[in-house]
Amino acid sequence: MTSHTAADAEGDPAGAPADAPVGGPASSPVGGPSSDAIFPSAAWQPLPRAEGREVPVSIVRRDGAAAAPTSTSTSTSTSTSTSTSTGSGAARPEDRPSPLGGEGPQVLARDGDTALVRFRHAARTARAVALQANGWWRPEPREACDLLPTGDGWWEGTFEVPADWRATYGYVEHLEDGDPPWWEAGLKSPGAAVVSDLSNPRRHRAGRGGALRAVVSVPDDGPFAMGPAHDGEPSPLLHTLDTTTQEPLTRWWASRPGDPGCEDLDPTAPLPLLVVTDGLQHVDQLGTPAGLRRGVASGVLPPLAAVFVESGPRREEVLGVPDGHARWIAETLVPRLQEHGLGESRAPVVVAEDAASTIITGSSFGALTALFALARAPQRIGAAIAQSTSLWRYAPGSLAGPLGRAGREHPLRLRLHAGRFEGTMSQQTRELVDALQADGIDATSTVHSGGHDWAWWQPTMLHELASLLAARP
C-alpha cells in the first residue's frame, strides 16, 4: 500500500519565518537566529510545503467475513462529538439507532501479517457512509472505504489490514442524492460531515483542529495502549517547571518512591530523562504521563523523569527549525535539569547527567526539533526518537552532515520511524538513516502501518523508549 503526499503534516500549522525566536527578539533566553556555527541561518531556511494530490491507497475488503471462533473483539476509539467540513450536515442524534455499547471496531481474525477489522456506524438518514482512516486519503477503488447498508440505519464494512495497523478515524456521511463527494475529492477533505464513532472509548483531540476522534489499533500495546484511564488508576502528579515568560511552558512528571514499580527507589538516585516536544498534546490529549507511569508499574520501563515542552500558538516558528525550541532544549533546558534537577532545591528530583540516559522525542516538526537538539548537544543528549520527521522542509540529505559530525564526537542512538501511508516520508527517512549508518552511527529506521498520526506515534514512541532505556551502555 502507498499513501498521500509527504507534504501532508497534520498538526503543523502554516506559518511564519522559520528562524523567528520563541517569545521575543534574538536576545530571548530561548535563542534566536544569532551566529550559529552548527546551523548557520542562511543555509537553513525552510523550503515551502510541497503541493500534490494524495497517492492512491489500495484497500482490501472482506465483507461478510465471520469472526474466528477463538478470537475476541478488540475495541478501539472514537468520539462523542461531531465536526463538519464543507458539505451537507450530519444526521441528527435522534435519527440514529443506539450505538453498540462499548464495542468500537472489532478485530475479527488475525492471520500472520494481516487482520480483519469490522467497522459499524449508525446513520439512518445517510445516503452513503465512508470510513475516514488517517492516511487512507485516496482509496482505490474510490468507493473502497464506503460502508454497506445492513438495515435499520446501520452501515458496516470489513477490511483486511496490516497486523500492525493503528489509525485515527471517523465516519463521513453523505445525506444528499447523487454520488458522495469524496469519490472525487478524496477522504482527507471529503466534502461532507465527519462524525465520531459513539461506541469507542479510545479517543484523542491531538490532531489538527482539535476534533475528538477515535483510534483503532490492531496490535496489543500493553501498558502503552491509548485510551481512558484504567479503573482505579490514579492520575500522574504533574508539575510546572519554573521558567521565564520568554521560555515555553514546560510541565514535568517523575517516578517517586512508593509509586507502583518504585517501591525500592532511592529518592536521591539519578533518573533517566525524557524530553518530549508538543507537550500540550502529550499531557492534555494523549495521556502520555499515564502511559509512562503504567510502563514503570509493569516493569517495562525503569523509573524515570519526563518533561513536556509545549509549542504554543507559534508552532511552525519554534518547532522544525534549528533555533527555537531545539536550541533552548539543548543549550538551556537539559543543562539546567542535569545540574539542578527538578522540583524544589531542598529535595530535587535528581536527573542523570550522562547522555545515554537523556532521550528526546518528537513527531513531524517535533521530530526535526529532536534531531536538531541532539546535533547541538550530543555530549548531553545521547538518543532521539524521531517519528514522521518532516525532512521535506530542508534540502535532501542536509541533516546527515550535522548529525554525522555529532556522532563522530559522541556515541549516539537515533531511532527514526515513519508511516507506510505517508507518501515519500519513509523513503526519505531510510535515506537519512543509510547515510548515518555509513558514518558509523547507531541509527535505525522503522516503518509502521499508519499515516501522519498520533494513533501510532504515541504508543510506538513509548515502546522505543523502553528499548533504549533497557539497552543503555
Side-chain angles (χ1 to χ4, degrees):
M1 295 183 183
T2 52
S3 170
H4 58 285
T5 175
D8 172 54
E10 183 175 344
D12 293 338
D19 57 358
V22 181
S27 59
S28 158
V30 177
S34 53
S35 66
D36 189 339
I38 303 174
F39 295 104
S41 179
W44 286 89
Q45 294 301 309
L47 300 173
R49 191 188 302 272
E51 299 295 335
R53 184 181 174 93
E54 296 87 5
V55 177
V57 181
S58 178
I59 304 298
V60 179
R61 293 293 289 266
R62 291 287 185 262
D63 297 306
T70 57
S71 70
T72 56
S73 63
T74 301
S75 295
T76 49
S77 77
T78 195
S79 113
T80 56
S81 72
T82 64
S83 69
T84 59
S85 56
T86 57
S88 55
R92 295 170 299 171
E94 59 268 28
D95 294 330
R96 303 179 188 278
S98 298
L100 299 175
E103 277 196 358
Q106 292 177 288
V107 177
L108 301 181
R110 304 172 192 269
D111 184 13
D113 294 335
T114 63
L116 297 182
V117 181
R118 182 175 66 192
F119 292 82
R120 295 194 74 203
H121 178 63
R124 182 167 290 147
T125 60
R127 300 297 182 89
V129 173
L131 171 69
Q132 186 202 52
N134 188 298
W136 291 8
W137 302 133
R138 187 69 61 173
E140 192 173 73
R142 63 182 187 175
E143 69 276 9
C145 286
D146 290 13
L147 304 187
L148 304 177
T150 59
D152 295 328
W154 285 98
W155 301 76
E156 182 176 305
T158 299
F159 299 79
E160 182 179 294
V161 301
D164 66 332
W165 185 53
R166 303 174 180 89
T168 298
Y169 73 94
Y171 296 109
V172 192
E173 298 181 355
H174 176 56
L175 307 183
E176 310 295 336
D177 292 330
D179 293 342
W182 57 82
W183 283 6
E184 294 299 326
L187 283 166
K188 186 177 180 184
S189 300
V194 181
V195 301
S196 297
D197 179 350
L198 300 180
S199 67
N200 193 334
R202 296 185 181 181
R203 60 195 68 158
H204 69 80
R205 291 185 182 272
R208 177 160 40 190
L212 188 58
R213 287 288 177 264
V215 171
V216 55
S217 179
V218 176
D220 180 2
D221 288 312
F224 303 140
M226 186 181 292
H230 299 183
D231 290 342
E233 179 182 31
S235 298
L237 182 60
L238 288 161
H239 310 265
T240 300
L241 195 68
D242 186 13
T243 56
T244 71
T245 56
Q246 293 182 318
E247 294 177 318
L249 177 63
T250 301
R251 286 177 284 180
W252 63 273
W253 166 87
S255 300
R256 302 313 301 142
D259 290 348
C262 304
E263 290 79 5
D264 299 323
L265 178 64
D266 180 348
T268 65
L271 297 179
L273 175 65
L274 174 68
V275 180
V276 185
T277 63
D278 280 318
L280 176 68
Q281 286 80 359
H282 278 278
V283 172
D284 293 345
Q285 295 154 4
L286 298 169
T288 301
L292 292 170
R293 193 177 193 273
R294 285 195 297 269
V296 174
S298 65
V300 177
L301 288 171
L304 77 159
V307 293
F308 302 88
V309 183
E310 298 193 11
S311 56
R314 301 166 59 193
R315 186 173 188 271
E316 192 162 296
E317 300 178 37
V318 301
L319 291 186
V321 294
D323 288 302
H325 285 189
R327 194 168 193 173
W328 180 73
I329 289 168
E331 298 180 0
T332 302
L333 176 65
V334 171
R336 179 189 300 171
L337 299 183
Q338 289 178 341
E339 182 177 353
H340 300 292
L342 290 158
E344 298 182 0
S345 58
R346 292 174 296 177
V349 175
V350 182
V351 171
E353 296 184 7
D354 62 301
S357 297
T358 306
I359 300 169
I360 186 167
T361 186
S363 52
S364 193
F365 281 13
L368 279 174
T369 292
L371 296 179
F372 285 139
L374 181 142
R376 286 188 176 280
Q379 76 282 9
R380 291 186 178 275
I381 304 171
I385 305 168
Q387 299 173 299
S388 297
T389 310
S390 298
L391 295 170
W392 56 265
R393 210 175 191 203
Y394 299 95
S398 53
L399 259 173
L403 288 173
R405 286 191 294 272
R408 288 190 292 272
E409 297 171 1
H410 301 275
L412 299 178
R413 294 180 294 163
L414 303 180
R415 302 294 180 259
L416 277 69
H417 299 246
R420 196 177 309 278
F421 309 129
E422 293 190 275
T424 60
M425 199 166 276
S426 60
Q427 177 185 342
Q428 294 171 332
T429 300
R430 181 69 255 175
E431 290 170 353
L432 174 59
V433 167
D434 286 346
L436 295 173
Q437 290 177 342
D439 234 343
I441 295 173
D442 180 1
T444 62
S445 172
T446 304
V447 178
H448 303 271
S449 294
H452 205 74
D453 193 357
W454 289 105
W456 69 264
W457 287 342
Q458 190 223 31
T460 59
M461 179 274 288
L462 294 171
H463 287 300
E464 190 70 88
L465 172 67
S467 296
L468 285 170
L469 290 177
R472 278 178 293 171

